[in-house]
Amino acid sequence: GQLVRILRQGSGGAAGQQLDFEGFTLKANKREIRVPTQLFINGEFVDAEGQRTLDIVNPTDEEVLCQVACASSGDVDRAVQAAHSAFYGSWKQISARQRGQLMLNLADLMEQHKEELATIESVDSGAVYTLALKTHVGMSIDAWRYFAGWCDKIQGSTIPVNPARPNNVLTFTRKEPIGVCGLITPWNYPLMMLSWKMAACIAAGNTCLIKPAQTCPLTALKFAELTVLAGFPPGVINVLPGKGSDAGQAVADHPLVRKLGFTGSTPIGKHIMKSCADSNLKKCSLELGGKSPLIVFADCDMDKAVKHGMSSVFFNKGENCIAAGRLFVEDRIHDEFVRRVLKDLRTMTIGDPLNRSTAHGPQNHKAHFDKLLDFCQRGVAEGATLVYGGGRVPNLKGYFFTPTVFTNVTDDMYIAQEESFGPIMIISKFNGSDVDSLMQRANRTEYGLASGVFTKDIGKALSFADRIEAGTVFINVYNKTDVAAPFGGFKQSGYGKDLGQEALNEYLKTKCVTVEY
Ligand code: TAP
């Protein structure tokens, strides 16, 4: 560790004072970047109780990058108390418009530091730098700006109700923040998942603590430093790297946390919902796993279908919640589609994610990499045809998994039903004259996150959109998300939207006021 000292800014109580933190210097991408390695609680960087730490591993070389403080339930309690005091204290004094300005300050700082943030994300999570810059960091900045605009536009309504004559009555609603919110996020888009949730949460007027995924908490810590520079009062935003089973569980159990925003797997989502109910019936929203179907009809624009079909699976090395977990390709074009995908795959550059020409980086961490190996072995054992990849990229250190393609996948197979969360394309055929059974197959899953269809026939595309049971439908495109558009799943992919106006409601409660006169 190394001590870093910066000057506090802005409207926080401690403006002008020094902020010290221990950090490490990341030398990468022709830069030297200081990254805090302590917990961020009540506007200060502090050690975890008992000095516990997590080893942070660089997935590109499998070496330990640094150690980061690892929060326990005691640390979570300290952060919740700070967020609670801020909610009823300093944060209440700040008007909605000032709140929006703080968020815009933060977005500007993120923009100024975007190369640093993208470099950290790339080294910590294995994201390809160019994508980290555009999506991981770019969409994070967009989210802060978008939700900043909502701060002074959160309003209720006046409602005509029946008066008890001869009296009159006025009924109106107010939208109020919920209080202290806990946010728990996964490792696939560390800064972006933080931003999607926290920007809506803060815009609504809440205070929060976040427990990022234990494998890659570094951008969240750099972000914490920027919140100080932006002028957020102490306690409004707290960042606590730690383990899900320990710090994460403590957030879900805490009686002063009134709302939990979670993105992660379906099994942990179910467990968290029980904890939310048992502790204090806290409100929760759950963005969970997916196995999204992508349908390619023979009448599609083939170039587009191949290009987007590839990115529907291989974008962010498959560590993408809306990744197309299953492609249904019409039998008439199946062989050509596969041939063209393989041609593109053979020229895909795999290697150091910081290299600007790299298209495919390492998987996020070892346990995930091992699960992908197992996933492919199961596919082969079940009789699917492995036509490309299926394992480690030869002669390359790091968690590099060869982009993989399976064909002849039948509906009953494990690989047709379970999410891989990796760069594995699962292709099945369908008969274009029987759309009814195609729709049944596409909907025969407990997940309902996203879906896609490629066809030039707009009627066919729109009837797919009518019939598919998924929260997101892409037509002749894939992965086209935007901070203004609601995002979230159906069925066991969870409920409660991120992004768009709907996300604000996840972090608000409605009070109804009635006056008789
Ligand atoms: P999970 O294992 O569910 O972990 C998600 C987060 O929950 C992590 O921060 C984890 O901590 C924490 N956690 C684990 N156990 C907990 C507990 N008992 N109490 C509270 N928190 C706990 O998921 P993952 O493996 O990181 O992510 C992959 C999954 O996320 C995939 O299924 C993917 O589909 C889903 N995902 C969904 C979306 C959307 S928007 N629907 C987006 C991205 C990812 P640790 O870091 O210690 O594990």
Side-chain angles (χ1 to χ4, degrees):
Q2 155 207 17
L3 195 69
V4 183
R5 184 156 280 185
I6 60 170
L7 212 58
R8 288 173 186 276
Q9 307 279 314
S11 56
Q17 287 173 11
Q18 275 176 340
L19 171 77
D20 295 336
F21 61 80
E22 276 178 26
F24 87 110
T25 302
L26 173 63
K27 293 187 181 131
N29 218 1
K30 303 198 187 93
R31 297 173 173 271
E32 290 198 2
I33 307 167
R34 48 169 209 218
V35 187
T37 50
Q38 292 171 292
L39 310 180
F40 182 68
I41 299 177
N42 203 21
E44 306 283 342
F45 282 98
V46 293
D47 284 338
E49 257 180 14
Q51 320 286 313
R52 293 197 318 163
T53 57
L54 292 165
D55 280 348
I56 304 302
V57 175
N58 179 346
T60 303
D61 61 14
E62 306 180 36
E63 303 287 340
V64 174
L65 255 179
C66 65
Q67 261 118 22
V68 158
C70 175
S72 65
S73 57
D75 297 311
V76 166
D77 184 55
R78 271 195 294 161
V80 173
Q81 299 296 346
H84 187 75
S85 302
F87 182 75
Y88 290 101
S90 57
W91 199 224
K92 275 256 183 302
Q93 308 304 316
I94 288 181
S95 73
R97 208 155 291 157
Q98 284 173 307
R99 196 160 79 228
Q101 189 55 53
L102 287 173
M103 292 175 69
L104 291 173
N105 294 350
L106 178 60
D108 289 348
L109 281 160
M110 289 168 78
E111 178 113 48
Q112 284 160 28
H113 291 263
K114 69 178 182 214
E115 283 92 2
E116 289 190 358
L117 288 166
T119 303
I120 302 169
E121 203 74 300
S122 188
V123 172
D124 197 12
S125 81
V128 166
Y129 178 73
T130 46
L131 183 72
L133 203 54
K134 183 167 174 271
T135 302
H136 294 62
V137 179
M139 203 172 178
S140 298
I141 297 168
D142 284 351
W144 285 96
R145 294 210 167 115
Y146 171 79
F147 283 108
W150 272 115
C151 290
D152 59 1
K153 299 167 196 72
I154 296 170
Q155 56 199 27
S157 47
T158 50
I159 300 170
V161 300
N162 246 14
R165 294 285 180 215
N167 293 330
N168 289 313
V169 71
L170 169 68
T171 291
F172 62 93
T173 58
R174 294 163 48 91
K175 298 276 181 188
E176 296 186 351
I178 296 173
V180 178
C181 300
L183 309 175
I184 300 179
T185 47
W187 39 260
N188 57 338
Y189 294 101
L191 184 66
M192 197 174 88
M193 289 294 111
L194 173 153
S195 300
W196 282 20
K197 296 204 181 300
M198 201 189 286
C201 168
I202 292 293
N206 301 285
T207 59
C208 69
L209 65 157
I210 182 162
K211 195 219 70 77
Q214 62 168 296
T215 59
C216 36
L218 296 183
T219 42
L221 291 170
K222 187 68 189 172
F223 167 88
E225 182 193 331
L226 299 182
T227 66
V228 177
L229 295 174
F232 278 91
V236 173
I237 293 171
N238 301 276
V239 179
L240 289 90
K243 299 190 175 187
S245 52
D246 187 357
Q249 187 64 51
V251 177
D253 287 339
H254 204 292
L256 287 180
V257 174
R258 295 291 170 193
K259 152 86 200 196
L260 198 135
F262 174 79
T263 292
S265 61
T266 297
I268 300 288
K270 289 183 180 181
H271 173 81
I272 280 184
M273 196 173 161
K274 282 189 203 137
S275 303
C276 287
D278 288 345
S279 54
N280 60 346
L281 207 65
K282 54 179 74 63
K283 182 175 175 179
C284 72
S285 48
L286 305 168
E287 298 285 354
L288 309 175
K291 185 74 178 170
S292 304
L294 172 62
I295 315 293
V296 184
F297 282 105
D299 62 359
C300 67
D301 172 337
M302 191 66 156
D303 290 341
K304 237 182 154 184
V306 171
K307 176 172 160 248
H308 289 279
M310 296 274 295
S311 76
S312 78
V313 176
F314 302 118
F315 193 79
N316 200 40
K317 6 139 196 165
E319 294 169 0
N320 187 16
C321 45
I322 54 171
R326 226 179 143 189
L327 274 70
F328 294 92
V329 181
E330 190 165 341
D331 44 14
R332 287 194 284 145
I333 58 159
H334 174 273
D335 293 356
E336 191 197 345
F337 183 88
V338 173
R339 189 178 54 73
R340 290 175 65 164
V341 164
L342 294 183
K343 180 165 167 271
D344 285 1
L345 272 186
R346 289 194 184 98
T347 58
M348 192 184 256
T349 37
I350 302 175
D352 182 355
L354 289 171
N355 192 325
R356 303 302 187 270
S357 61
T358 299
H360 182 80
Q363 303 306 139
N364 185 276
H365 57 277
K366 183 161 189 311
H368 176 52
F369 180 88
D370 291 343
K371 265 171 75 179
L372 296 180
L373 286 174
D374 178 61
F375 188 90
C376 290
Q377 278 157 12
R378 288 182 82 150
V380 171
E382 282 180 313
T385 311
L386 176 65
V387 288
Y388 198 81
R392 184 181 265 281
V393 175
N395 309 318
L396 198 57
K397 203 175 175 195
Y399 308 128
F400 289 95
F401 200 91
T402 310
T404 295
V405 179
F406 277 101
T407 57
N408 294 319
V409 178
T410 53
D411 297 358
D412 53 315
M413 290 178 185
Y414 175 85
I415 64 169
Q417 294 171 5
E418 294 300 324
E419 180 179 40
S420 77
F421 219 52
I424 303 175
M425 187 179 274
I426 306 290
I427 304 180
S428 306
K429 284 184 196 169
F430 72 92
N431 177 344
S433 63
D434 187 1
V435 175
D436 284 348
S437 48
L438 170 68
M439 290 310 303
Q440 274 171 20
R441 293 173 72 194
N443 281 329
R444 201 182 299 139
T445 163
E446 276 299 305
Y447 292 118
L449 193 54
S451 62
V453 62
F454 281 82
T455 170
K456 285 188 188 144
D457 180 339
I458 189 68
K460 225 164 159 182
L462 288 176
S463 88
F464 171 82
D466 287 345
R467 296 172 70 180
I468 195 74
E469 295 165 1
T472 292
V473 184
F474 295 117
I475 299 177
N476 294 331
V477 71
Y478 208 88
N479 286 330
K480 179 75 190 113
T481 53
D482 189 278
V483 293
F487 179 99
F490 294 171
K491 301 199 276 191
Q492 292 197 41
S493 290
Y495 50 79
K497 298 289 183 191
D498 277 328
L499 303 180
Q501 187 179 1
E502 287 198 37
L504 274 180
N505 284 330
E506 303 295 334
Y507 294 94
L508 289 167
K509 56 191 189 318
T510 304
K511 181 178 278 173
C512 181
V513 182
T514 297
V515 195
E516 192 172 73
Y517 60 98

